[in-house]
Amino acid sequence: MRKPTVSLTLVALASGTGVLAGSFLAAGFTDRWVVLALARTAFFLAPDALVAFGIQRLGDAAQPLLVAGAALAGVLLFGALALGTLSGGRALDREPAETAFAVGAVQAVAAFALAVAPVPALAGGAVGAAVAGLGGPGTTEGVDVARRDLLRSAGGAAIAVGVAAALGVGRAGGPGGGDDVPDGPVEDPLVRRLLGTAAERSLAVADVEPLVSEEFYRVDINPSDPEVDADSWGLRVGGAVETERRYDLADLAGRPAEHRFVTLRCVGERLNGTKMDTALWTGVPMANVLAEVGVPEDEPCCVFLRAADGYYQEFPLEALESALLAYRMNGRPLPTAHGHPVRVLVPGHWGEINVKWLTEIEVIREERRGYWEERGWNGTGPVNTVAKLHGVETADGRVTVGGHAYAGTRGVAAVEVSTDGGDAWTEAELSEPLPGSTSADADPEGEDPEAGEAADAWRMWRHEYRADDPHEVVVRAVEADGTVQPAEEADAFPNGASGWVSRDVSP
Ligand SMILES: Nc1nc2c(c(=O)[nH]1)N[C@H]1C(S)=C(S)[C@@H](COP(=O)(O)O)O[C@H]1N2
Ligand SMILES: [Mo]
């Protein structure tokens, strides 16, 4: 066999790129796309320590890097398959079309083996074959021909990538996307009223989101969301219960529902990070379901939750008792990104146990470790109290600072601000609490469907003052029982960030 020429290698790599493009055309940004299948495989094979390192040190960059690495691996893998087949075809003096077909066939088989999705595999193979055929071994050899082949195949790959990208943009479930719910006004008048109240109670501070987040953060163990069909979805509630039961969405939707404003915060976020958000969630109180399955007298300690993306978490049964099985978010069906069709919301606890794409709740008698606890985190308990500083406005010697404060179910009673680095403290203006949980059957025009205070939601704070010189602003929250947010600083790993947020301000 002759040594593959440089041009043949490049044609093969272009063909490999074509496979990724073709597969993307058919699959979009889902697990059926070979790149995400590769990323997922790498993620599952990677040692836990590496995964923990990636998420702690790289943060939000970890997933794009993983996808980019997987794409490179994909080009090399499918390119190598093309190169082998092209070289073989050349050595055996096969017809170019026949060789191109063989390239596509080999690539399609490999793509299928990776992603177990026939249509994207075939689409990938077809584009891989087309690119190989355009630039593959011609009938004549020589530098000029090689260059022409190369240009052709590079052009073919570029077109394939371009078309795939154009079609893929806007597809549901893309990175950071997943806003697959209808736009337009919210239909439920009660939800509209509650969201209106949240908007009214929000304080205006530049760069600070209102009380209901406009963009809700997301944290996922996988580069793409699982696609769970709401009609065939089911939740198994079993283990140490009196009667095991299975619920489908209609079962849940047929029960008395509640609207709750709930804040989520990720244990992995920086102290003044942005992985903390609030939404109005609608769902069935977990207590309702637990009463039906019956928890034995001798109170098992814990629950183990499983999800459609392979995620699992364990935490105390007691925490689940006040949880909500949520199927709507801000008046719309739960978006794919946030756990469609059902996720759990556990009052006052770190985001990680608020399992999305929930499929199973097992009541257990002995402790087990959850996904993040196996990786060294300690995030199954209540959240740390925090006051964040995200807005700083300065104009003519007037400074306005503001942000959100959250203390889980302990509640925020006050936020204190220091403008001299922590010596003197003043109470900041605080937003009125969000309304408490509301029965979804309440009369939207009724007296007061929003009496009470949200049990697990943040508040906004704002402070305006005069300053002419650079200074350090420090902010801290005070819980409902008077406890001041601890000053001791700690990184997020493993117990969640703590300390007072501070920032230098130059008027
Ligand atoms: N099934 C599943 N649930 C999950 C996760 C996940 O990766 N898979 N991430 C958890 C983490 S670490 C956090 S902080 C929250 C984030 O919820 P959000 O993505 O809706 O903001 O979801 C939790 N629930
Ligand atoms: Mo998290």
Side-chain angles (χ1 to χ4, degrees), residues 181-210:
V181 287
D183 272 345
V186 169
E187 275 171 31
D188 185 329
L190 179 55
V191 170
R192 267 212 313 273
R193 172 164 172 179
L194 290 165
L195 291 173
T197 303
E200 279 162 25
R201 295 185 184 176
S202 300
L203 303 178
V205 190
D207 305 323
V208 180
E209 288 211 3

PDB file of all heavy atoms in Angstrom, residues 181-210:
ATOM      1  N   VAL A 181     -40.395  26.747  25.138  1.00  0.00           N
ATOM      2  CA  VAL A 181     -41.787  26.958  25.530  1.00  0.00           C
ATOM      3  C   VAL A 181     -42.338  28.148  24.766  1.00  0.00           C
ATOM      4  O   VAL A 181     -41.596  29.041  24.374  1.00  0.00           O
ATOM      5  CB  VAL A 181     -41.920  27.167  27.050  1.00  0.00           C
ATOM      6  CG1 VAL A 181     -41.703  25.869  27.780  1.00  0.00           C
ATOM      7  CG2 VAL A 181     -40.969  28.217  27.535  1.00  0.00           C
ATOM      8  N   PRO A 182     -43.651  28.140  24.535  1.00  0.00           N
ATOM      9  CA  PRO A 182     -44.239  29.198  23.715  1.00  0.00           C
ATOM     10  C   PRO A 182     -44.041  30.581  24.331  1.00  0.00           C
ATOM     11  O   PRO A 182     -44.037  30.730  25.542  1.00  0.00           O
ATOM     12  CB  PRO A 182     -45.727  28.833  23.683  1.00  0.00           C
ATOM     13  CG  PRO A 182     -45.933  27.858  24.797  1.00  0.00           C
ATOM     14  CD  PRO A 182     -44.639  27.173  25.011  1.00  0.00           C
ATOM     15  N   ASP A 183     -43.862  31.560  23.465  1.00  0.00           N
ATOM     16  CA  ASP A 183     -43.792  32.955  23.904  1.00  0.00           C
ATOM     17  C   ASP A 183     -45.208  33.486  24.069  1.00  0.00           C
ATOM     18  O   ASP A 183     -46.155  32.748  23.950  1.00  0.00           O
ATOM     19  CB  ASP A 183     -43.068  33.778  22.837  1.00  0.00           C
ATOM     20  CG  ASP A 183     -41.569  33.771  23.072  1.00  0.00           C
ATOM     21  OD1 ASP A 183     -41.166  33.392  24.183  1.00  0.00           O
ATOM     22  OD2 ASP A 183     -40.837  34.147  22.149  1.00  0.00           O
ATOM     23  N   GLY A 184     -45.289  34.787  24.264  1.00  0.00           N
ATOM     24  CA  GLY A 184     -46.605  35.396  24.343  1.00  0.00           C
ATOM     25  C   GLY A 184     -47.082  35.463  25.777  1.00  0.00           C
ATOM     26  O   GLY A 184     -46.439  34.947  26.677  1.00  0.00           O
ATOM     27  N   PRO A 185     -48.232  36.112  25.970  1.00  0.00           N
ATOM     28  CA  PRO A 185     -48.699  36.340  27.338  1.00  0.00           C
ATOM     29  C   PRO A 185     -49.038  35.031  28.053  1.00  0.00           C
ATOM     30  O   PRO A 185     -49.464  34.062  27.435  1.00  0.00           O
ATOM     31  CB  PRO A 185     -49.951  37.204  27.155  1.00  0.00           C
ATOM     32  CG  PRO A 185     -50.332  37.059  25.726  1.00  0.00           C
ATOM     33  CD  PRO A 185     -49.128  36.650  24.954  1.00  0.00           C
ATOM     34  N   VAL A 186     -48.824  35.054  29.354  1.00  0.00           N
ATOM     35  CA  VAL A 186     -49.175  33.895  30.178  1.00  0.00           C
ATOM     36  C   VAL A 186     -50.692  33.834  30.279  1.00  0.00           C
ATOM     37  O   VAL A 186     -51.351  34.841  30.518  1.00  0.00           O
ATOM     38  CB  VAL A 186     -48.545  34.068  31.574  1.00  0.00           C
ATOM     39  CG1 VAL A 186     -49.094  33.053  32.548  1.00  0.00           C
ATOM     40  CG2 VAL A 186     -47.036  33.987  31.478  1.00  0.00           C
ATOM     41  N   GLU A 187     -51.262  32.648  30.080  1.00  0.00           N
ATOM     42  CA  GLU A 187     -52.723  32.552  30.047  1.00  0.00           C
ATOM     43  C   GLU A 187     -53.383  32.581  31.411  1.00  0.00           C
ATOM     44  O   GLU A 187     -54.408  33.212  31.599  1.00  0.00           O
ATOM     45  CB  GLU A 187     -53.131  31.275  29.304  1.00  0.00           C
ATOM     46  CG  GLU A 187     -53.187  31.513  27.811  1.00  0.00           C
ATOM     47  CD  GLU A 187     -53.365  30.226  27.041  1.00  0.00           C
ATOM     48  OE1 GLU A 187     -53.996  29.299  27.583  1.00  0.00           O
ATOM     49  OE2 GLU A 187     -52.857  30.168  25.905  1.00  0.00           O
ATOM     50  N   ASP A 188     -52.800  31.868  32.362  1.00  0.00           N
ATOM     51  CA  ASP A 188     -53.429  31.745  33.673  1.00  0.00           C
ATOM     52  C   ASP A 188     -53.470  33.109  34.389  1.00  0.00           C
ATOM     53  O   ASP A 188     -52.429  33.686  34.677  1.00  0.00           O
ATOM     54  CB  ASP A 188     -52.620  30.729  34.492  1.00  0.00           C
ATOM     55  CG  ASP A 188     -53.247  30.438  35.840  1.00  0.00           C
ATOM     56  OD1 ASP A 188     -53.888  31.352  36.402  1.00  0.00           O
ATOM     57  OD2 ASP A 188     -53.077  29.309  36.333  1.00  0.00           O
ATOM     58  N   PRO A 189     -54.689  33.636  34.652  1.00  0.00           N
ATOM     59  CA  PRO A 189     -54.775  34.976  35.239  1.00  0.00           C
ATOM     60  C   PRO A 189     -54.131  35.064  36.626  1.00  0.00           C
ATOM     61  O   PRO A 189     -53.593  36.111  36.990  1.00  0.00           O
ATOM     62  CB  PRO A 189     -56.274  35.248  35.322  1.00  0.00           C
ATOM     63  CG  PRO A 189     -56.961  33.974  35.014  1.00  0.00           C
ATOM     64  CD  PRO A 189     -55.990  33.039  34.379  1.00  0.00           C
ATOM     65  N   LEU A 190     -54.174  33.973  37.378  1.00  0.00           N
ATOM     66  CA  LEU A 190     -53.571  33.996  38.713  1.00  0.00           C
ATOM     67  C   LEU A 190     -52.043  34.095  38.608  1.00  0.00           C
ATOM     68  O   LEU A 190     -51.401  34.871  39.316  1.00  0.00           O
ATOM     69  CB  LEU A 190     -53.988  32.749  39.498  1.00  0.00           C
ATOM     70  CG  LEU A 190     -53.431  32.614  40.908  1.00  0.00           C
ATOM     71  CD1 LEU A 190     -53.758  33.831  41.757  1.00  0.00           C
ATOM     72  CD2 LEU A 190     -53.987  31.352  41.575  1.00  0.00           C
ATOM     73  N   VAL A 191     -51.477  33.328  37.682  1.00  0.00           N
ATOM     74  CA  VAL A 191     -50.026  33.383  37.476  1.00  0.00           C
ATOM     75  C   VAL A 191     -49.635  34.780  36.993  1.00  0.00           C
ATOM     76  O   VAL A 191     -48.637  35.352  37.444  1.00  0.00           O
ATOM     77  CB  VAL A 191     -49.572  32.299  36.479  1.00  0.00           C
ATOM     78  CG1 VAL A 191     -48.119  32.499  36.082  1.00  0.00           C
ATOM     79  CG2 VAL A 191     -49.779  30.920  37.079  1.00  0.00           C
ATOM     80  N   ARG A 192     -50.464  35.333  36.098  1.00  0.00           N
ATOM     81  CA  ARG A 192     -50.180  36.696  35.613  1.00  0.00           C
ATOM     82  C   ARG A 192     -50.154  37.674  36.769  1.00  0.00           C
ATOM     83  O   ARG A 192     -49.290  38.527  36.865  1.00  0.00           O
ATOM     84  CB  ARG A 192     -51.239  37.121  34.600  1.00  0.00           C
ATOM     85  CG  ARG A 192     -50.861  36.842  33.170  1.00  0.00           C
ATOM     86  CD  ARG A 192     -51.456  37.878  32.212  1.00  0.00           C
ATOM     87  NE  ARG A 192     -52.863  38.132  32.451  1.00  0.00           N
ATOM     88  CZ  ARG A 192     -53.848  37.421  31.912  1.00  0.00           C
ATOM     89  NH1 ARG A 192     -53.586  36.422  31.093  1.00  0.00           N
ATOM     90  NH2 ARG A 192     -55.098  37.717  32.161  1.00  0.00           N
ATOM     91  N   ARG A 193     -51.134  37.522  37.659  1.00  0.00           N
ATOM     92  CA  ARG A 193     -51.204  38.428  38.803  1.00  0.00           C
ATOM     93  C   ARG A 193     -49.972  38.263  39.700  1.00  0.00           C
ATOM     94  O   ARG A 193     -49.377  39.254  40.133  1.00  0.00           O
ATOM     95  CB  ARG A 193     -52.483  38.147  39.594  1.00  0.00           C
ATOM     96  CG  ARG A 193     -52.518  38.915  40.886  1.00  0.00           C
ATOM     97  CD  ARG A 193     -53.892  38.982  41.495  1.00  0.00           C
ATOM     98  NE  ARG A 193     -53.784  39.568  42.835  1.00  0.00           N
ATOM     99  CZ  ARG A 193     -54.808  39.782  43.624  1.00  0.00           C
ATOM    100  NH1 ARG A 193     -56.033  39.462  43.232  1.00  0.00           N
ATOM    101  NH2 ARG A 193     -54.634  40.321  44.821  1.00  0.00           N
ATOM    102  N   LEU A 194     -49.599  37.017  39.957  1.00  0.00           N
ATOM    103  CA  LEU A 194     -48.432  36.776  40.821  1.00  0.00           C
ATOM    104  C   LEU A 194     -47.153  37.325  40.195  1.00  0.00           C
ATOM    105  O   LEU A 194     -46.335  37.958  40.861  1.00  0.00           O
ATOM    106  CB  LEU A 194     -48.288  35.279  41.111  1.00  0.00           C
ATOM    107  CG  LEU A 194     -49.371  34.683  42.029  1.00  0.00           C
ATOM    108  CD1 LEU A 194     -49.361  33.156  41.970  1.00  0.00           C
ATOM    109  CD2 LEU A 194     -49.177  35.162  43.471  1.00  0.00           C
ATOM    110  N   LEU A 195     -46.994  37.109  38.889  1.00  0.00           N
ATOM    111  CA  LEU A 195     -45.797  37.623  38.208  1.00  0.00           C
ATOM    112  C   LEU A 195     -45.803  39.152  38.201  1.00  0.00           C
ATOM    113  O   LEU A 195     -44.758  39.792  38.322  1.00  0.00           O
ATOM    114  CB  LEU A 195     -45.705  37.076  36.779  1.00  0.00           C
ATOM    115  CG  LEU A 195     -45.406  35.571  36.668  1.00  0.00           C
ATOM    116  CD1 LEU A 195     -45.515  35.099  35.217  1.00  0.00           C
ATOM    117  CD2 LEU A 195     -44.008  35.240  37.222  1.00  0.00           C
ATOM    118  N   GLY A 196     -47.003  39.715  38.082  1.00  0.00           N
ATOM    119  CA  GLY A 196     -47.134  41.175  38.121  1.00  0.00           C
ATOM    120  C   GLY A 196     -46.700  41.714  39.478  1.00  0.00           C
ATOM    121  O   GLY A 196     -45.991  42.725  39.569  1.00  0.00           O
ATOM    122  N   THR A 197     -47.124  41.032  40.527  1.00  0.00           N
ATOM    123  CA  THR A 197     -46.738  41.453  41.875  1.00  0.00           C
ATOM    124  C   THR A 197     -45.223  41.387  42.033  1.00  0.00           C
ATOM    125  O   THR A 197     -44.603  42.287  42.606  1.00  0.00           O
ATOM    126  CB  THR A 197     -47.411  40.544  42.920  1.00  0.00           C
ATOM    127  OG1 THR A 197     -48.815  40.617  42.702  1.00  0.00           O
ATOM    128  CG2 THR A 197     -47.081  40.978  44.328  1.00  0.00           C
ATOM    129  N   ALA A 198     -44.615  40.303  41.503  1.00  0.00           N
ATOM    130  CA  ALA A 198     -43.155  40.161  41.598  1.00  0.00           C
ATOM    131  C   ALA A 198     -42.469  41.314  40.870  1.00  0.00           C
ATOM    132  O   ALA A 198     -41.474  41.863  41.350  1.00  0.00           O
ATOM    133  CB  ALA A 198     -42.718  38.824  41.019  1.00  0.00           C
ATOM    134  N   ALA A 199     -43.021  41.697  39.721  1.00  0.00           N
ATOM    135  CA  ALA A 199     -42.420  42.802  38.964  1.00  0.00           C
ATOM    136  C   ALA A 199     -42.539  44.098  39.762  1.00  0.00           C
ATOM    137  O   ALA A 199     -41.576  44.871  39.856  1.00  0.00           O
ATOM    138  CB  ALA A 199     -43.095  42.926  37.601  1.00  0.00           C
ATOM    139  N   GLU A 200     -43.723  44.335  40.363  1.00  0.00           N
ATOM    140  CA  GLU A 200     -43.926  45.566  41.149  1.00  0.00           C
ATOM    141  C   GLU A 200     -42.987  45.635  42.348  1.00  0.00           C
ATOM    142  O   GLU A 200     -42.529  46.711  42.724  1.00  0.00           O
ATOM    143  CB  GLU A 200     -45.355  45.619  41.703  1.00  0.00           C
ATOM    144  CG  GLU A 200     -46.387  46.091  40.719  1.00  0.00           C
ATOM    145  CD  GLU A 200     -47.789  45.694  41.183  1.00  0.00           C
ATOM    146  OE1 GLU A 200     -47.991  45.505  42.407  1.00  0.00           O
ATOM    147  OE2 GLU A 200     -48.664  45.557  40.303  1.00  0.00           O
ATOM    148  N   ARG A 201     -42.752  44.489  42.960  1.00  0.00           N
ATOM    149  CA  ARG A 201     -41.935  44.498  44.181  1.00  0.00           C
ATOM    150  C   ARG A 201     -40.434  44.510  43.899  1.00  0.00           C
ATOM    151  O   ARG A 201     -39.636  44.627  44.822  1.00  0.00           O
ATOM    152  CB  ARG A 201     -42.303  43.292  45.059  1.00  0.00           C
ATOM    153  CG  ARG A 201     -43.735  43.393  45.563  1.00  0.00           C
ATOM    154  CD  ARG A 201     -44.114  42.296  46.525  1.00  0.00           C
ATOM    155  NE  ARG A 201     -45.534  42.438  46.867  1.00  0.00           N
ATOM    156  CZ  ARG A 201     -46.224  41.598  47.631  1.00  0.00           C
ATOM    157  NH1 ARG A 201     -45.608  40.541  48.147  1.00  0.00           N
ATOM    158  NH2 ARG A 201     -47.506  41.800  47.877  1.00  0.00           N
ATOM    159  N   SER A 202     -40.053  44.360  42.636  1.00  0.00           N
ATOM    160  CA  SER A 202     -38.626  44.379  42.288  1.00  0.00           C
ATOM    161  C   SER A 202     -38.084  45.796  42.410  1.00  0.00           C
ATOM    162  O   SER A 202     -38.773  46.757  42.101  1.00  0.00           O
ATOM    163  CB  SER A 202     -38.428  43.892  40.844  1.00  0.00           C
ATOM    164  OG  SER A 202     -38.919  42.582  40.705  1.00  0.00           O
ATOM    165  N   LEU A 203     -36.859  45.920  42.870  1.00  0.00           N
ATOM    166  CA  LEU A 203     -36.220  47.228  42.959  1.00  0.00           C
ATOM    167  C   LEU A 203     -35.436  47.462  41.676  1.00  0.00           C
ATOM    168  O   LEU A 203     -34.831  46.531  41.138  1.00  0.00           O
ATOM    169  CB  LEU A 203     -35.254  47.273  44.150  1.00  0.00           C
ATOM    170  CG  LEU A 203     -35.836  46.963  45.532  1.00  0.00           C
ATOM    171  CD1 LEU A 203     -34.727  46.996  46.586  1.00  0.00           C
ATOM    172  CD2 LEU A 203     -36.939  47.954  45.888  1.00  0.00           C
ATOM    173  N   ALA A 204     -35.450  48.705  41.216  1.00  0.00           N
ATOM    174  CA  ALA A 204     -34.705  48.996  39.987  1.00  0.00           C
ATOM    175  C   ALA A 204     -33.247  49.285  40.319  1.00  0.00           C
ATOM    176  O   ALA A 204     -32.956  50.243  41.019  1.00  0.00           O
ATOM    177  CB  ALA A 204     -35.342  50.193  39.281  1.00  0.00           C
ATOM    178  N   VAL A 205     -32.363  48.440  39.848  1.00  0.00           N
ATOM    179  CA  VAL A 205     -30.921  48.680  39.970  1.00  0.00           C
ATOM    180  C   VAL A 205     -30.306  48.226  38.645  1.00  0.00           C
ATOM    181  O   VAL A 205     -30.609  47.129  38.172  1.00  0.00           O
ATOM    182  CB  VAL A 205     -30.272  47.844  41.105  1.00  0.00           C
ATOM    183  CG1 VAL A 205     -28.839  48.307  41.353  1.00  0.00           C
ATOM    184  CG2 VAL A 205     -31.080  47.886  42.383  1.00  0.00           C
ATOM    185  N   ALA A 206     -29.460  49.073  38.075  1.00  0.00           N
ATOM    186  CA  ALA A 206     -28.838  48.718  36.794  1.00  0.00           C
ATOM    187  C   ALA A 206     -28.090  47.399  36.929  1.00  0.00           C
ATOM    188  O   ALA A 206     -27.456  47.149  37.958  1.00  0.00           O
ATOM    189  CB  ALA A 206     -27.870  49.822  36.364  1.00  0.00           C
ATOM    190  N   ASP A 207     -28.162  46.562  35.928  1.00  0.00           N
ATOM    191  CA  ASP A 207     -27.461  45.270  35.869  1.00  0.00           C
ATOM    192  C   ASP A 207     -27.945  44.242  36.881  1.00  0.00           C
ATOM    193  O   ASP A 207     -27.277  43.230  37.088  1.00  0.00           O
ATOM    194  CB  ASP A 207     -25.939  45.436  36.056  1.00  0.00           C
ATOM    195  CG  ASP A 207     -25.354  46.400  35.063  1.00  0.00           C
ATOM    196  OD1 ASP A 207     -25.833  46.389  33.911  1.00  0.00           O
ATOM    197  OD2 ASP A 207     -24.449  47.164  35.438  1.00  0.00           O
ATOM    198  N   VAL A 208     -29.065  44.487  37.529  1.00  0.00           N
ATOM    199  CA  VAL A 208     -29.576  43.500  38.482  1.00  0.00           C
ATOM    200  C   VAL A 208     -30.940  43.033  37.993  1.00  0.00           C
ATOM    201  O   VAL A 208     -31.819  43.853  37.704  1.00  0.00           O
ATOM    202  CB  VAL A 208     -29.683  44.085  39.907  1.00  0.00           C
ATOM    203  CG1 VAL A 208     -30.213  43.045  40.873  1.00  0.00           C
ATOM    204  CG2 VAL A 208     -28.311  44.582  40.369  1.00  0.00           C
ATOM    205  N   GLU A 209     -31.090  41.726  37.881  1.00  0.00           N
ATOM    206  CA  GLU A 209     -32.350  41.181  37.394  1.00  0.00           C
ATOM    207  C   GLU A 209     -33.457  41.392  38.416  1.00  0.00           C
ATOM    208  O   GLU A 209     -33.201  41.465  39.616  1.00  0.00           O
ATOM    209  CB  GLU A 209     -32.188  39.677  37.127  1.00  0.00           C
ATOM    210  CG  GLU A 209     -31.356  39.404  35.903  1.00  0.00           C
ATOM    211  CD  GLU A 209     -31.775  38.119  35.196  1.00  0.00           C
ATOM    212  OE1 GLU A 209     -32.749  37.483  35.635  1.00  0.00           O
ATOM    213  OE2 GLU A 209     -31.118  37.788  34.216  1.00  0.00           O
ATOM    214  N   PRO A 210     -34.705  41.466  37.937  1.00  0.00           N
ATOM    215  CA  PRO A 210     -35.826  41.623  38.876  1.00  0.00           C
ATOM    216  C   PRO A 210     -36.024  40.363  39.725  1.00  0.00           C
ATOM    217  O   PRO A 210     -35.256  39.407  39.617  1.00  0.00           O
ATOM    218  CB  PRO A 210     -37.020  41.862  37.948  1.00  0.00           C
ATOM    219  CG  PRO A 210     -36.612  41.312  36.631  1.00  0.00           C
ATOM    220  CD  PRO A 210     -35.126  41.437  36.544  1.00  0.00           C
TER     221      PRO A 210
END
